Each structure stands twice: as structure tokens, then as C-alpha cells.
Amino acid sequence: MGNSVEQTGKGFKKTVEVLNRLIQKGHHIVPASGRAFTLLPNEVLKLEGIQYAVVENGAIVWDWKNQCAIEKEPIPKGMVKATLEDIEKQASTGYCAEIIVNGKVYADMETQKELDRPDLAENYVEYMKRNHIFIENLSASTDLLDVAEKLNIYFDDVELSENVRAKWRTESQLNTTTSISGNVEFTAAGIDKGHGIKILQQRLGIPKEHCISIGDDENDLEMFEQVHMAVAMGNAKEIVKQAANEITLDCDKDGAAVFLEKYC
């Protein structure tokens, strides 16, 4: 059991081949992502034989076969709105917020208008244009904010993103983490990838000693604590490498496939 590693491009074909072989041998492959299910990479969505996924940083444990959530934990009512209002006071521009409600991803219409900016990274633009619902005045849409499972914010200013994380890390009703530079991700307190993996371990009767996790960023750290073998990608942050039992090659060098072939 482990993270499928959200690679795209070079090297991913071999990883898919290795994952398929492991599935055929009876291993459980569990994609574990901060994304909503509909925003998982196409290569992952096309994998056959996967039974479950942990998405939205553990806010949803997804039954892949039946296409439904077996576990869902929304952020406490009022907390998403309070967070957005606080961020608006700190920066009226230079950030983009998205919320996930019942697996659907919502962003503000103003964000859609910004996607033609030449300074935006291509992978970010591609991500935002895929399976997003753009609405007017997201921060005032209380009916959606109060039932969101996850709040995700991208900042142009990396220092500001770090300050926001530091401020909200002490909020007892929230869990904060990050998966890329300039990003802050919010779920309910106690909800993370490790929480989702633990639910599946109990459901499937698989002990921690039989589980492997592969990750590359801070939102993988709690998942590392829930498995016997934690593996950091070669391109992972230093804090992730320090928490891992093993370090493999980079994403674009078949890192996940290389480790799994050797270990399994």
C-alpha cells in the first residue's frame, strides 16, 4: 500500500508498468493525493485493479470500484470563510483559492480570468483549467464554504504562504500542510493522508508492517508515520528525506518504479 506518486511525462510509463504488475500479484496500490479524485493524473485514473484511493489529503477515502466516498470529513463550519477573510486582509491579490465539495473543485471566476498570464507555470494553468467549476465571488458562497472538505490556496509570494501556514497552524480546528512551494492546504484537524491510510488498513485488515509509502512533499509526512517502509523521491524536500527510511531516484528517473522493483 502506498502513494502512486503523481509523476507525469518522462519516466511515468515504467512506473505504470510496475504498478500494474504489482496489482496483478495481489498488492493494493493506493493513490494518496492532495487532489480531488477527478484531478488525479490521467495515467493514474487509467490504472486497472485499484480498489481505493486517499484523496484531498485524507478528507476523502475513495472507493474506486464503486465511485463513492467511504469516509468523508468536512472542515468545521465557518472555518473556510474565516480563513479566506483573513487572507483577503493580508493580500487582496496575488493568490488563488479553490475549495473541494463532494469531490467537485470550485474556484473564483476572477481566477479563470488570470490563467492567461504569461508568468504562470504551465502545469499550474493546466491543472486549473481541468475539471474546475468557476463561480462568482467564491468567498461569499457560504453554502459551499461550510461543507468543503478541503481549502487549497496558491500564493505568488512564497513568504506570504509560509506566514499564513505559521498563523493558522495553531488553529485547533484545522490541519495545515503544503505540497508545492507557495501553496497552503487546509483540512479539518486530524485529517491527513496518514488518517486515510489508517482507515484502509483497518478496513482491509492489513497491518502497518506490510505497508509501503512513497512521497515527495510535506503532505506525505503523516502517511510516512503510518507505514513500515517510507520512501522519499530523489526530488523530495529535505524534511521528507529525513523522515524516510529509504530514498529513491527522482520522479523523472523512474524513482518509484526502481524502488518497487527492487523491494517487491
Side-chain angles (χ1 to χ4, degrees):
M1 181 184 294
N3 190 355
S4 68
V5 185
E6 291 179 22
Q7 307 168 251
T8 56
K10 181 181 176 183
F12 195 70
K13 182 178 179 180
K14 179 176 177 62
T15 300
V16 169
E17 292 172 354
V18 171
L19 293 177
N20 278 324
R21 293 207 304 269
L22 291 173
I23 291 170
Q24 291 168 10
K25 290 182 178 180
H27 294 280
H28 287 280
I29 301 299
V30 178
S33 176
R35 302 185 184 196
F37 179 79
T38 55
L39 288 174
L40 291 177
N42 287 324
E43 295 89 344
V44 175
L45 291 172
K46 291 177 182 177
L47 284 170
E48 297 182 2
I50 291 181
Q51 291 182 278
Y52 301 100
V54 172
V55 292
E56 302 177 35
N57 284 341
I60 285 186
V61 179
W62 186 256
D63 183 327
W64 196 291
K65 181 179 179 181
N66 295 305
Q67 295 290 287
C68 65
I70 60 174
E71 186 84 12
K72 181 171 70 172
E73 186 65 42
I75 295 172
K77 186 175 181 179
M79 292 308 303
V80 173
K81 188 172 182 62
T83 306
L84 289 176
E85 288 176 348
D86 178 66
I87 291 169
E88 285 178 355
K89 293 176 183 177
Q90 298 183 61
S92 57
T93 60
Y95 72 92
C96 160
E98 63 180 8
I99 61 171
I100 309 179
V101 181
N102 293 322
K104 295 181 179 180
V105 189
Y106 297 84
D108 197 283
M109 196 71 73
E110 292 300 315
T111 297
Q112 188 178 37
K113 298 175 183 177
E114 291 280 314
L115 294 180
D116 291 330
R117 279 171 44 189
D119 60 320
L120 294 179
E122 183 179 346
N123 59 344
Y124 168 77
V125 173
E126 180 183 349
Y127 168 82
M128 291 302 299
K129 287 184 176 181
R130 181 183 170 210
N131 288 336
H132 276 68
I133 302 169
F134 293 96
I135 62 175
E136 293 283 357
N137 204 358
L138 176 69
S139 61
S141 302
T142 306
D143 56 333
L144 290 174
L145 302 182
D146 281 348
V147 292
E149 303 107 40
K150 186 186 175 193
L151 167 64
N152 196 24
I153 304 180
Y154 301 95
F155 292 90
D156 290 344
D157 186 338
V158 173
E159 184 177 351
L160 176 58
S161 75
E162 293 171 349
N163 290 340
V164 169
R165 281 188 66 199
K167 177 176 181 178
W168 286 93
R169 189 178 289 122
T170 58
E171 169 53 57
S172 62
Q173 297 186 74
L174 294 175
N175 178 65
T176 64
T177 188
T178 184
S179 59
I180 58 173
S181 179
N183 149 264
V184 186
E185 304 179 10
F186 299 87
T187 51
I191 303 302
D192 48 51
K193 291 184 183 181
H195 167 80
I197 294 297
K198 185 176 181 179
I199 289 172
L200 288 179
Q201 287 169 336
Q202 295 171 344
R203 184 182 183 91
L204 297 170
I206 299 176
K208 178 178 179 178
E209 290 72 24
H210 291 173
C211 297
I212 300 169
S213 174
I214 304 176
D216 62 2
D217 218 307
E218 292 178 50
N219 65 339
D220 296 314
L221 292 174
E222 292 86 359
M223 181 171 65
F224 277 11
E225 297 176 0
Q226 197 56 39
V227 300
H228 170 68
M229 176 61 68
V231 183
M233 301 300 294
N235 55 289
K237 286 184 179 178
E238 188 59 34
I239 189 174
V240 180
K241 291 180 178 179
Q242 292 176 2
N245 304 108
E246 298 282 346
I247 300 174
T248 187
L249 301 179
D250 291 4
C251 286
D252 61 1
K253 294 181 179 178
D254 305 321
V258 168
F259 176 82
L260 290 171
E261 281 190 313
K262 179 181 72 173
Y263 191 84
C264 297

